Amino acid sequence: AGELTKFGFIAQLGNVIQYFNYRLSYFILNTYGGPADVGVYSVGVVLSEAVWLLSSSISLVLYSSVANKGENFYSKQLTVKLAKWSFLLTFLSVTVLFSIPEKAFTFIFGKDFSHLKNVIFSLGTGVVCFGFSGILSHYFAGTGKYTINTAAASLGLIVTLVGNVLLVPKLGYLGAGMTASLSYFVTALFLIL
């Protein structure tokens, strides 16, 4: 029971930290830019994160396979293979999202969202990185190495906090998007290493 509690606590701590990493930008952006900026940024995030449905599906398959087979050569090879596929599919999906004309966004969401594509651009690199690193984090979860995921989430949260404080007052929602991209990149790099 003690080991179960320990793993559960570490896993949930990582999830809470990652949640703050995803959403801290909203609070800082609201402080410096106001609700209108939060609205534009929020729609950009939702559209960009929709791409993660692909990597989330791949992650579920990987997690169940690794959890059943344990940490072995097959699990490692499968992780690398699926991470590459996830990266490619996420990259292609983001490219399709980039190709949607700005006029389409303003037609659907209104003229106040005329800069929505810039938000999506600012998030693009991070979305692709996170599509890749999500596979790696599920490998570590499947092998019971929750501390690695929690450390990665913590590092990402530090980048999010510092980046938002430095960039959001100057760049608004674009600063929040760039900070999210940097945070996701640093998280992915940590998991790779």
Side-chain angles (χ1 to χ4, degrees):
E3 192 170 318
L4 181 65
T5 303
K6 176 185 161 192
F7 280 139
F9 175 77
I10 292 170
Q12 290 307 316
L13 178 63
N15 290 336
V16 169
I17 292 169
Q18 191 60 46
Y19 177 78
F20 280 119
N21 192 19
Y22 290 146
R23 300 299 177 242
L24 184 62
S25 300
Y26 292 100
F27 297 105
I28 295 174
L29 187 57
N30 189 51
T31 300
Y32 289 102
D37 283 355
V38 173
V40 172
Y41 181 70
S42 176
V43 171
V45 167
V46 168
L47 291 172
S48 299
E49 289 181 357
V51 170
W52 288 342
L53 289 173
L54 299 167
S55 64
S56 295
S57 300
I58 294 170
S59 296
L60 282 174
V61 172
L62 176 70
Y63 177 78
S64 61
S65 177
V66 170
N68 286 323
K69 296 190 185 311
E71 186 176 6
N72 58 32
F73 181 75
Y74 170 78
S75 294
K76 291 175 183 177
Q77 292 294 346
L78 181 62
T79 301
V80 170
K81 181 179 179 180
L82 292 179
K84 288 177 181 178
W85 274 106
S86 180
F87 176 83
L88 178 63
L89 292 172
T90 305
F91 177 79
L92 291 174
S93 298
V94 167
T95 302
V96 168
L97 193 58
F98 285 168
S99 70
I100 297 172
E102 186 75 53
K103 289 182 180 180
F105 293 125
T106 55
F107 176 76
I108 295 169
F109 299 109
K111 63 178 174 43
D112 293 333
F113 291 85
S114 61
H115 298 290
L116 185 58
K117 194 159 183 174
N118 293 333
V119 174
I120 294 169
F121 274 129
S122 71
L123 291 164
T125 302
V127 168
V128 173
C129 288
F130 206 78
F132 176 80
S133 68
I135 304 299
L136 302 179
S137 70
H138 278 75
Y139 169 80
F140 291 123
T143 56
K145 297 179 180 176
Y146 297 106
T147 53
I148 293 173
N149 289 337
T150 301
S154 300
L155 184 60
L157 182 60
I158 292 167
V159 171
T160 296
L161 183 60
V162 172
N164 276 313
V165 168
L166 294 176
L167 295 178
V168 168
K170 297 174 185 173
L171 302 172
Y173 46 71
L174 295 180
M178 289 188 281
T179 297
S181 275
L182 181 60
S183 174
Y184 298 155
F185 173 79
V186 168
T187 300
L189 186 61
F190 179 85
L191 291 173
I192 290 167
L193 295 175

